[in-house]
Amino acid sequence: MARKTKEEAEKTRLSILNAALDTFDEKGFNQTTLTDIATRAGVTRGAIYWHFKDKVDIVAKLRDQMEVELGERGPVGRVDSFENLNSVEELVQAFLSYFAILESDERYEKFYRFSIYKVEYTEEMQSILDREKKMTTGALYSLTRGIEQLIEKGVVGKELDPARCARSIIAFTWGIIELWIFDRTIMSLQDEGAEFLSAHIRRICV
């Protein structure tokens, strides 16, 4: 009985997260109420407070869930760890696999779109913004280190500025994704997006 209760509680928690993601994507963070989420999930507000402190906590747990799901895919799609790179092609493929996941995973796309366009980062959301900044800083550091390793291995030229290259790649990647998130009819991430990014990385890493 205890195991069944635990499984039911986890099922409720996940249904709340899924309902929150859909509602945030449709209405935005500020316009979404806990009642909206509860109604969509088919639970009471009390059930939400049993699992989460507030809306900000729900967003934090959604981010945790997305990170876990990405981690379960292994190294594919990870753009925050560039240790032990052996070639520029490995670097390119890390980003292209991320594009593939983003374009094929509807839930991850919704979270990305919501976090860019449908949330106002007020004081209430400062903890979430701080976390996003920390993740970006970590990705830049890891990518910089990865490029340094390519230089050490003689794969790319010693004249390259690793930190500058890393900033360029991240900025270019963000630009492509945000354009695609804004209007998916403009281009496909796995088609033109991948072509543009591949060309950019190879150009600056020679």
Side-chain angles (χ1 to χ4, degrees):
M1 181 65 70
R3 179 178 179 181
K4 182 178 180 180
T5 300
K6 185 176 181 179
E7 291 175 348
E8 289 175 345
E10 178 62 11
K11 183 178 180 180
T12 298
R13 190 184 75 87
L14 291 176
S15 70
I16 292 170
L17 286 175
N18 289 331
L21 179 60
D22 289 339
T23 311
F24 288 151
D25 184 48
E26 291 176 5
K27 301 181 66 174
F29 177 83
N30 294 79
Q31 296 302 314
T32 294
T33 66
L34 290 179
T35 299
D36 292 331
I37 297 172
T39 299
R40 188 161 198 150
V43 301
T44 64
R45 282 172 57 96
I48 292 181
Y49 281 118
W50 178 261
H51 292 279
F52 308 98
K53 293 184 293 184
D54 49 30
K55 285 197 301 179
V56 176
D57 189 38
I58 291 176
V59 174
K61 296 305 187 296
L62 276 170
R63 165 55 79 182
D64 290 341
Q65 186 182 53
M66 296 300 164
E67 289 302 302
V68 168
E69 291 176 5
L70 274 182
E72 289 174 348
R73 298 174 187 262
V76 177
R78 300 294 298 187
V79 291
D80 58 356
S81 179
F82 296 93
E83 297 179 4
N84 302 316
L85 284 176
N86 293 304
S87 68
V88 172
E89 188 59 31
E90 286 184 9
L91 175 59
V92 170
Q93 289 306 314
F95 280 95
L96 298 196
S97 64
Y98 184 71
F99 276 8
I101 290 171
L102 188 55
E103 192 160 37
S104 63
D105 189 325
E106 183 180 8
R107 292 180 64 259
Y108 198 74
E109 177 196 345
K110 283 183 179 181
F111 183 82
Y112 204 112
R113 179 170 56 238
F114 148 68
S115 63
I116 292 178
Y117 290 114
K118 301 190 176 185
V119 60
E120 182 180 356
Y121 286 102
T122 58
E123 184 177 352
E124 177 186 21
M125 290 287 284
Q126 188 61 47
S127 62
I128 301 297
L129 183 58
D130 289 343
R131 179 175 178 177
E132 295 297 325
K133 287 181 177 179
K134 184 176 181 179
M135 291 177 64
T136 299
T137 300
L140 282 167
Y141 174 83
S142 179
L143 181 53
T144 299
R145 181 55 188 146
I147 295 172
E148 287 174 346
Q149 291 175 342
L150 291 181
I151 293 174
E152 292 167 3
K153 294 175 182 178
V155 175
V156 297
K158 293 183 178 180
E159 71 281 359
L160 286 182
D161 181 332
R164 186 180 179 87
C165 286
R167 290 194 297 271
S168 176
I169 292 170
I170 294 295
F172 205 85
T173 302
W174 274 14
I176 291 173
I177 292 175
E178 290 196 25
L179 183 61
W180 174 78
I181 287 286
F182 179 72
D183 185 352
R184 290 189 62 163
T185 66
I186 293 176
M187 65 178 174
S188 164
L189 280 183
Q190 297 179 76
D191 186 9
E192 279 194 316
E195 178 186 340
F196 295 158
L197 183 59
S198 298
H200 179 70
I201 293 176
R202 293 187 175 100
R203 181 179 63 80
I204 66 172
C205 287
V206 296

